[in-house]
Amino acid sequence: MTETQSTVRAALWMGGSIASFVTMTVAGRAIMPELDVFQVMEMRSVIGWFILLPMVFAAGGFAAMRTRRPLQHIGRNVAHYAGQFLWLHALTMIPLAELISIEFTTPVWGALLAVLFLGERMSLRKAAAILFGLVGVFIIVRPGVTEADPGHLIMLAGAVGFGIALVMVKSLTRTDSVVAIIFWMLIIQSVIGLVPAIAVWQAPEPWMWPWIFVIAFTGMSSHFCMAGALSHAETMVVMPMDFLRLPFFALTGFLLYNERIDLYTAIGAALILAGNLFNIQRRAREPEIATS
């Protein structure tokens, strides 16, 4: 498979991941004021595991889910669980465009860790794509110009957790299948969150169940698609594509929650889009340049 073909496949997987994240966000906002974060995360993991079962059997059954790297699965899911917990908290505190803008400090942490621990190399094209994206994020958030919100700090801490989990997923794709990675994610996070969920448990009302199932499905599918993308391209290629979530989230916030899209958001989103388009062009003739 050529590098271009791999990049196109990674882009298609990331399209599915972005659609899942947007849908999960809408469902989360619908029920988060009524249910505790721990309970929502526990139901998401348990229900998601049963939704995943047909893929498990199609991939060879439980025997095919065996892994030689259980400690890395545990470490990855501890980091991701913390990031997801903080993300869901911030979801009800700040506008969607700001939430995703701050989350996009994740590639900074992910890029540094990938270079340091995975031996990935950074090309000029990849670096430029990330630079475009981060400049766009800073234009939207404007740190030091607008008053800091506690939700911003919560999401920033969550982004660090996501960055750690991202690099560990990329490493896991070298030895484990995408289905196995999601299989262990749902099991481990169910175990992590069981006691906190029981402590705050309340019976969901009937109208909440469709939203709960949507969260469970998209919570699984978003990571399935992300792992699929990472199996076809390097972290430094996949993460700039993920910046496209920002304009989609901004539009969702405007249409569903009347969250205003100002000039700064529009300029920042345009820069992010430009960086992504620049990065997914043909790169076959460009040499890789290590920057570490």
Side-chain angles (χ1 to χ4, degrees), residues 114-115 119-123 126 234 236 288-291:
V115 171
E120 291 192 4
R121 300 166 68 85
M122 186 183 297
S123 70
K126 296 174 187 176
E234 290 184 350
M236 299 291 287
E288 296 277 274
I289 300 177
T291 59

Side-chain angles (χ1 to χ4, degrees), residues 16-256:
S17 179
I18 291 169
S20 297
F21 276 122
V22 172
T23 305
M24 181 174 63
T25 300
V26 173
R29 274 208 170 177
I31 64 169
M32 284 303 300
E34 308 296 332
L35 295 178
D36 189 90
V37 174
F38 283 121
Q39 182 175 348
V40 172
M41 293 179 67
E42 185 67 13
M43 290 189 294
R44 167 182 174 259
S45 295
V46 173
I47 296 172
W49 187 83
F50 285 101
I51 294 174
L52 185 69
L53 279 181
M55 295 187 208
V56 171
F57 293 127
F62 294 121
M65 299 298 106
R66 292 175 182 169
T67 180
R68 294 172 295 175
R69 306 171 71 187
L71 293 181
Q72 185 151 354
H73 278 283
I74 293 172
R76 180 257 166 171
N77 283 292
V78 168
H80 180 263
Y81 187 90
Q84 189 69 34
F85 177 83
L86 295 167
W87 187 89
L88 285 169
H89 261 302
L91 177 62
T92 60
M93 300 174 68
I94 56 177
L96 293 183
E98 295 179 15
L99 178 86
I100 301 305
S101 296
I102 298 171
E103 183 185 341
F104 282 151
T105 59
T106 295
V108 176
W109 311 111
L112 292 175
L113 292 168
V115 171
L116 291 174
F117 297 108
L118 299 186
E120 291 192 4
R121 300 166 68 85
M122 186 183 297
S123 70
L124 291 176
R125 188 180 292 275
K126 296 174 187 176
I130 287 180
L131 179 62
F132 270 80
L134 292 180
V135 169
V137 167
F138 279 105
I139 288 175
I140 293 169
V141 177
R142 304 188 302 283
V145 177
T146 58
E147 184 177 354
D149 188 296
H152 295 161
L153 300 179
I154 290 173
M155 188 58 252
L156 183 60
V160 175
F162 287 149
I164 296 170
L166 169 72
V167 173
M168 297 183 81
V169 166
K170 176 58 182 176
S171 177
L172 284 168
T173 61
R174 296 174 176 175
T175 57
D176 293 4
S177 70
V178 172
V179 175
I181 291 171
I182 305 305
F183 176 85
W184 289 111
M185 179 190 84
L186 296 172
I187 289 180
I188 293 170
Q189 294 195 19
S190 294
V191 173
I192 293 172
L194 180 59
V195 173
I198 292 174
V200 300
W201 190 270
Q202 65 181 54
E205 297 179 19
W207 68 266
M208 298 179 185
W209 282 107
W211 293 116
I212 291 169
F213 278 101
V214 168
I215 290 172
F217 179 80
T218 55
M220 180 272 295
S221 63
S222 61
H223 294 285
F224 184 88
C225 292
M226 175 70 79
L230 289 168
S231 70
H232 286 289
E234 290 184 350
T235 307
M236 299 291 287
V237 176
V238 171
M239 288 315 299
M241 296 178 191
D242 195 39
F243 283 132
L244 283 170
R245 266 196 291 156
L246 179 52
F248 284 109
F249 269 74
L251 182 60
T252 301
F254 175 74
L255 294 176
L256 298 184

